Amino acid sequence: MSLLLEQLVLTQSQLFLKDVIEGLRLDQKELSSKYFYDAEGDLLFQQIMASEDYYLTRCEEDIFRNKTSELTLAITNRGTLFDLIELGAGDGSKTLFLLKELIDQGEDFDFFPIDISKNILEILGQNLQESLPELSFHLTEGDYFEALREIVTASHKRKVVLFLGSNIGNMSPGESLEFCRHLSDLLSPGDLVIMGFDLRKNPATILRAYSDREGITSKFNLNLLRRINRELGGDFNLSQFEHYQSYDPISGACKSYLVSLSDQKVTIGDQIILFKENEPIYMEVSQKFSPEEIDALAVNSGFSVIANWYDSKKWFVDAIWEVQ
Ligand SMILES: C[S@@+](CC[C@H](N)C(=O)[O-])C[C@H]1O[C@@H](n2cnc3c(N)ncnc32)[C@H](O)[C@@H]1O
C-alpha cells in the first residue's frame, strides 16, 4: 500500500472513530447513517430493497422501467454533450434502465457513479461491465460533494446528476435544503438534477417498510454496531440493543433507533460510553415528502422544476430540476 493510500485509509478510519465517539457523547446519542454501508451493510441493503415490505425500490424501478423514454428525452433534448453523475449510486439497479436507453440511442456520455462504499462500487462496476460493455464509466469512491467537486472541476461538459432512492430523505428538512443549495452552487446554470422522493402515504405502509416482517432493517441497523466492534475495537453486545422504528405523519419523519435493553458500559478503543436501560441511539431519518414540499425545496435552493414522474401508485416521484 502506498504511503498516500495508507494515510487516506487512516484518515477515513480516524474520521469514523471521531464521528462515532462524538455522536455517542451527545445528550441524545446518535450515529451517522452514512456508516451503515460496509460489505455486510451493502448486502443487507440489497436484501431490504428486494423485500416485500420495502416498496420504495419497486416504485422507483416502475418509473425507470416505464418512463425511460421521457427520462432520456429530458436529458438529451438540449443536444449538447453531458456527464451523467450519480450520488450514492449503490448497486445502480434502477439506473441501468436509463443507461441502456441512452446507449441504445447512441448518446456519447460518461457515467460517474459516486459512493462512499468501495465494496458496492466494485459490485456495480462488475454489473456495468457485464450488462453494458459499451458504457464508459468511472467508479468514484467518496463523500457526495468531495467527489462531485472533483468531477465538476475536471470536465466542462454539462452535468446531469442523479440522486435516487430517496437518499435525500436521509436528511432533516434543514439539512436537505442546505444540501440542495450546495448542489446548485456546485453546478452551473442549465445543469440538471434528477432526484427521487418517497411521498407521504398511509402511515402504516411507511412504518412497515422500515420495520419489515423479515427483520432485515433491524439487522441492518445492528450491523453498524458490529462494524464499530470490528473496525474501531468496540465491544457492543448486539443482543443488548433492539431496533425501534417510528413514523410521525405530521412531520413526515420516519426515524430509526437502537434502544439499549439494559444499563451497560461499552468500550470503543480507549473510550467508555455508558447506556441507561431504554436509552435510544438515533440512527437515521427517512423523511417523507408532499409534492408541494418537493417543489418548495427546488425553488428555495436555486432550481426550477422541469417535470415530475410518478410510479403507477403515486407513492414515489422522480423530479427533474434545472439549475437557475
Ligand atoms: C439507501 S442506499 C441507495 C442506493 C441507490 N441510490 C438506490 O436508489 O438504490 C444509499 C447509498 O448511498 C451511499 N451513501 C450514503 N451516504 C453517502 C455519502 N455521504 N457519500 C456518498 N455515498 C453515500 C451508500 O453507501 C449507499 O450505497
Side-chain angles (χ1 to χ4, degrees):
M1 193 188 288
S2 75
L3 187 59
L4 191 66
L5 190 60
E6 199 168 19
Q7 280 171 346
L8 196 69
V9 171
L10 270 181
T11 307
Q12 278 175 350
S13 102
Q14 283 170 341
L15 189 65
F16 181 26
L17 178 64
K18 178 175 163 293
D19 286 348
V20 165
I21 298 300
E22 280 178 7
L24 294 180
R25 290 232 175 275
L26 292 173
D27 287 344
Q28 168 50 73
K29 293 180 171 59
E30 63 180 38
L31 289 170
S32 167
S33 62
K34 75 177 177 186
Y35 294 115
F36 277 149
Y37 301 92
D38 63 350
E40 181 65 18
D42 289 334
L43 193 69
L44 286 165
F45 188 69
Q46 287 184 301
Q47 290 174 16
I48 289 173
M49 289 198 294
S51 73
E52 181 76 22
D53 292 331
Y54 193 79
Y55 58 83
L56 287 82
T57 307
R58 280 189 303 280
C59 290
E60 196 170 35
E61 186 179 315
D62 174 4
I63 299 169
F64 273 72
R65 188 189 281 279
N66 297 311
K67 307 242 160 69
T68 336
S69 331
E70 289 99 313
L71 277 159
T72 309
L73 185 65
I75 293 173
T76 59
N77 66 7
R78 319 272 157 133
T80 48
L81 290 176
F82 62 91
D83 291 322
L84 185 66
I85 302 163
E86 180 162 4
L87 303 176
D91 71 3
S93 51
K94 292 159 289 185
T95 315
L96 273 179
F97 294 98
L98 176 64
L99 294 170
K100 183 168 185 321
E101 181 76 11
L102 287 166
I103 286 174
D104 287 350
Q105 293 194 8
E107 290 294 331
D108 177 15
F109 68 101
D110 281 8
F111 177 49
F112 298 83
I114 296 172
D115 206 289
I116 204 166
S117 162
K118 184 171 186 242
N119 171 69
I120 201 72
L121 279 178
E122 284 169 2
I123 294 173
L124 173 61
Q126 273 171 10
N127 283 350
L128 291 175
Q129 230 149 24
E130 278 161 28
S131 39
L132 298 171
E134 317 89 315
L135 177 70
S136 167
F137 65 90
H138 314 269
L139 304 176
T140 313
E141 185 189 346
D143 220 303
Y144 297 134
F145 286 121
E146 266 168 42
L148 180 61
R149 194 172 294 110
E150 274 176 32
I151 298 167
V152 167
T153 314
S155 136
H156 296 294
K157 290 183 197 161
R158 86 185 157 91
K159 304 285 177 268
V160 179
V161 177
L162 305 174
F163 194 39
L164 308 183
S166 209
N167 278 22
I168 187 75
N170 298 140
M171 300 174 207
S172 68
E175 286 167 346
S176 56
L177 179 61
E178 197 186 322
F179 180 93
C180 291
R181 284 188 174 151
H182 197 160
L183 187 55
S184 69
D185 282 348
L186 259 180
L187 298 173
S188 302
D191 286 347
L192 298 174
V193 169
I194 298 178
M195 208 177 284
F197 293 89
D198 193 21
L199 294 169
R200 290 171 182 254
K201 59 185 69 60
N202 185 300
T205 306
I206 291 174
L207 191 56
R208 178 158 276 186
Y210 297 88
S211 215
D212 61 287
R213 285 165 288 184
E214 295 164 76
I216 314 169
T217 319
S218 166
K219 284 190 200 152
F220 181 63
N221 277 272
L222 287 165
N223 181 59
L224 179 45
L225 304 189
R226 187 177 288 117
R227 180 176 186 188
I228 293 170
N229 284 352
R230 194 183 56 248
E231 294 185 24
L232 303 180
D235 65 356
F236 277 104
N237 177 350
L238 270 60
S239 69
Q240 285 305 301
F241 288 87
E242 190 172 68
H243 172 234
Y244 173 75
Q245 193 73 32
S246 74
Y247 176 60
D248 172 9
I250 308 277
S251 66
C254 189
K255 292 187 175 178
S256 46
Y257 303 89
L258 287 176
V259 177
S260 173
L261 296 180
S262 57
D263 288 345
Q264 51 182 319
K265 181 178 93 176
V266 172
T267 306
I268 303 170
D270 57 4
Q271 304 281 323
I272 291 174
I273 310 285
L274 299 176
F275 288 88
K276 293 201 178 68
E277 185 177 2
N278 295 325
E279 184 177 359
I281 312 173
Y282 169 47
M283 303 296 283
E284 184 174 57
V285 64
S286 299
Q287 184 70 32
K288 307 302 159 192
F289 299 83
S290 68
E292 296 74 22
E293 286 167 331
I294 297 169
D295 286 352
L297 180 59
V299 171
N300 292 331
S301 57
F303 293 96
S304 62
V305 180
I306 307 281
N308 289 305
W309 295 289
Y310 293 86
D311 67 300
S312 55
K313 288 186 177 146
K314 285 216 155 193
W315 281 7
F316 199 95
V317 64
D318 278 293
I320 181 162
W321 299 346
E322 180 172 343
V323 180
Q324 286 302 285

